[in-house]
Amino acid sequence: MMPDEIDPTEHLQLTTSERDLDSLAAQLTGWLQARVAADEPPVIESLHRPLSGGLSSASVLFDARWTSAGEPREGSYVARMVPEAGAFPVFRDYDLPLQYRIIGEIAAHTDVPVPPLRWLETDDTVCGAPFFVMDRVDGRIPGDNPPYVFAGWLHDATPAERAELTRNTLEVLARIHAITEPARRFPELDGPGPALRRHLAAQRDWYRWALVDDGFAIPLIERAFDWLEDNFPDDPGPDVLSWGDARPGNIIYDGCTPIAVLDWEMAALGPREMDLAWMIFLHRFFQDIATGFDMPGLPDFLRRGEVVAQYEKLTGHTVRDLDFHLTYAALRHAIVMARIKRRMIHMGEDTAPADRDDYIMHRATLEAMLDGTYGWD
């Protein structure tokens, strides 16, 4: 439960970057002129950070106009940048070249909608960090901040429209999972041993870097890791390309139709259930916040049983070990939320709780899942 005095619909201005936008615009101007062979320095306009969205990578949106060989050109773009160290990044590693390649492979070999790629810049002296640039895709995204369970177009949609959006979203997820030979296509994601074991080991390493090495071990996270070891699947099933951050908040929609799948920084190899559980759990994370405030939220959206039934019908795959993967999703999100809490404290936007487990916003949910008392329906 969150404190009664907090407004759950209030937009929180969280610090995700310390870059000065005027300086960044000047840096991008010189860089873009060379990239597009502009006759004169391009004019960069409307450079700004998105008001809502992910809290990990730093993104900026901008428009640009220039002439090349006397011909006028223009475009609207998004630059995805490695966050600077002073911004207290969520993740230890941001492999932008790999993200760029994954998006390019998906665009070239599937009909999964992704933003058109433009340029990759690995020289961190240009703007202070590596970055890549994509075309900006116009559409609408379910809000994270404030969460879509409280307000916005998805909240105001009809149940039939939300059902259509769910079907279309699961179809996109199924097409991602249908990519053949993912280990061969993305050898950077492969390695020794079972993929799920590697993935879990990587989460432990990330947890140590994000919290333990900084003196902030979280007892509930430690308990969740022990639970996962005790309940690890005997046969996790075949590996696919896991999107990693699979949820409607990382999709741009035209109406209820996905037109761009975003945010591939958590991509990995692993069982299909990793993405499926992440999508189910992330909605329940928001829904539980709504019910904690005695607000209805969206109880008809992304229901566990309905999601599983639709995905199985789309793919012919029998979903297995979902309780394990839902608990794993809750653990992974607990690390994210605890790291974000640490960042907010670092930036002077929050105060430290007395109980370490309260670094996890969904503490009660994770505790109930570990105890086998969480009610999904």
Side-chain angles (χ1 to χ4, degrees):
M1 181 71 67
M2 299 170 68
D4 292 339
E5 65 270 16
I6 296 177
D7 179 358
T9 67
E10 181 182 3
H11 182 82
L12 301 176
Q13 294 293 337
L14 303 179
T15 302
T16 59
S17 177
E18 296 179 329
R19 292 186 177 91
D20 177 76
L21 293 183
D22 289 336
S23 298
L24 182 58
Q27 294 165 334
L28 285 172
T29 296
W31 171 83
L32 186 59
Q33 181 177 12
R35 281 287 184 162
V36 300
D39 301 331
E40 296 177 348
V43 176
I44 290 184
E45 301 173 316
S46 304
L47 189 145
H48 63 282
R49 299 183 181 96
L51 292 177
S52 180
L55 296 173
S56 51
S57 290
S59 296
V60 292
L61 287 66
F62 64 96
D63 299 326
R65 294 183 288 109
W66 69 92
T67 60
S68 182
E71 293 291 328
R73 307 291 174 86
E74 64 181 6
S76 296
Y77 304 107
V78 178
R80 295 277 288 178
M81 313 187 77
V82 172
E84 58 272 57
F88 214 87
V90 171
F91 299 116
R92 175 171 50 187
D93 301 312
Y94 290 81
D95 192 339
L96 291 188
L98 177 57
Q99 292 180 45
Y100 191 87
R101 198 176 80 74
I102 289 173
I103 296 171
E105 281 283 315
I106 289 171
H109 300 292
T110 78
D111 60 356
V112 174
V114 289
L117 295 172
R118 290 298 172 182
W119 308 286
L120 170 67
E121 181 54 70
T122 58
D123 184 352
D124 60 8
T125 65
V126 175
C127 291
F131 63 95
F132 65 84
V133 178
M134 309 174 287
D135 285 355
R136 191 164 75 220
V137 177
D138 292 327
R140 56 187 191 173
I141 303 174
D144 284 350
N145 194 13
Y148 60 80
V149 294
F150 294 112
W153 64 270
L154 185 57
H155 176 270
D156 297 336
T158 66
E161 288 170 333
R162 285 193 291 272
E164 179 185 358
L165 184 141
T166 297
R167 287 192 300 271
N168 293 340
T169 301
L170 289 173
E171 286 177 0
V172 166
L173 186 62
R175 299 207 300 269
I176 293 170
H177 292 169
I179 294 173
T180 59
E181 301 182 279
R184 181 186 64 80
R185 291 183 184 275
F186 307 107
E188 304 94 330
L189 302 177
D190 201 7
L196 184 57
R197 276 290 180 194
R198 293 198 311 273
H199 199 276
L200 181 57
Q203 299 303 298
R204 284 188 181 275
D205 288 343
W206 169 43
Y207 165 62
R208 282 193 288 268
W209 170 84
L211 294 159
V212 176
D213 291 348
D214 208 17
F216 284 85
I218 309 293
L220 183 55
I221 291 178
E222 305 273 355
R223 181 182 164 205
F225 272 119
D226 291 341
W227 187 96
L228 291 171
E229 287 295 339
D230 292 341
N231 293 273
F232 197 88
D234 293 331
D235 179 11
D239 294 331
V240 298
L241 174 64
S242 171
W243 173 9
D245 202 358
R247 57 194 183 92
N250 281 332
I251 296 178
I252 300 174
Y253 294 89
D254 178 7
C256 296
T257 301
I259 56 174
V261 178
L262 311 175
D263 288 1
W264 293 87
E265 62 204 359
M266 292 166 62
L269 300 181
R272 298 165 181 262
E273 288 80 6
M274 288 202 311
D275 279 341
L276 204 62
W278 186 260
M279 186 175 293
I280 295 168
F281 174 77
L282 262 290
H283 170 66
R284 286 303 295 258
F285 168 74
F286 286 140
Q287 180 64 21
D288 286 347
I289 295 174
T291 56
F293 281 99
D294 295 323
M295 299 179 70
L298 295 177
D300 65 325
F301 187 56
L302 290 179
R303 293 172 62 85
R304 172 178 172 163
E306 294 170 2
V307 168
V308 169
Q310 289 188 42
Y311 183 84
E312 290 184 338
K313 183 177 180 181
L314 283 167
T315 63
H317 171 79
T318 299
V319 173
R320 61 178 82 182
D321 303 309
L322 192 57
D323 285 334
F324 172 90
H325 286 283
L326 286 165
T327 305
Y328 189 26
L331 166 66
R332 293 164 61 199
H333 195 55
I335 302 171
V336 171
M337 297 309 298
R339 179 67 177 178
I340 289 174
K341 181 79 166 179
R342 290 276 295 115
R343 181 168 68 184
M344 293 175 68
I345 295 166
H346 174 79
M347 297 294 183
E349 298 164 340
D350 204 348
T351 57
D355 189 334
R356 286 283 175 83
D357 286 346
D358 285 336
Y359 277 80
I360 304 169
M361 184 180 292
H362 57 287
R363 169 183 180 169
T365 297
L366 181 53
E367 287 174 334
M369 292 174 73
L370 295 177
D371 294 339
T373 60
Y374 185 75
W376 284 101
D377 296 318

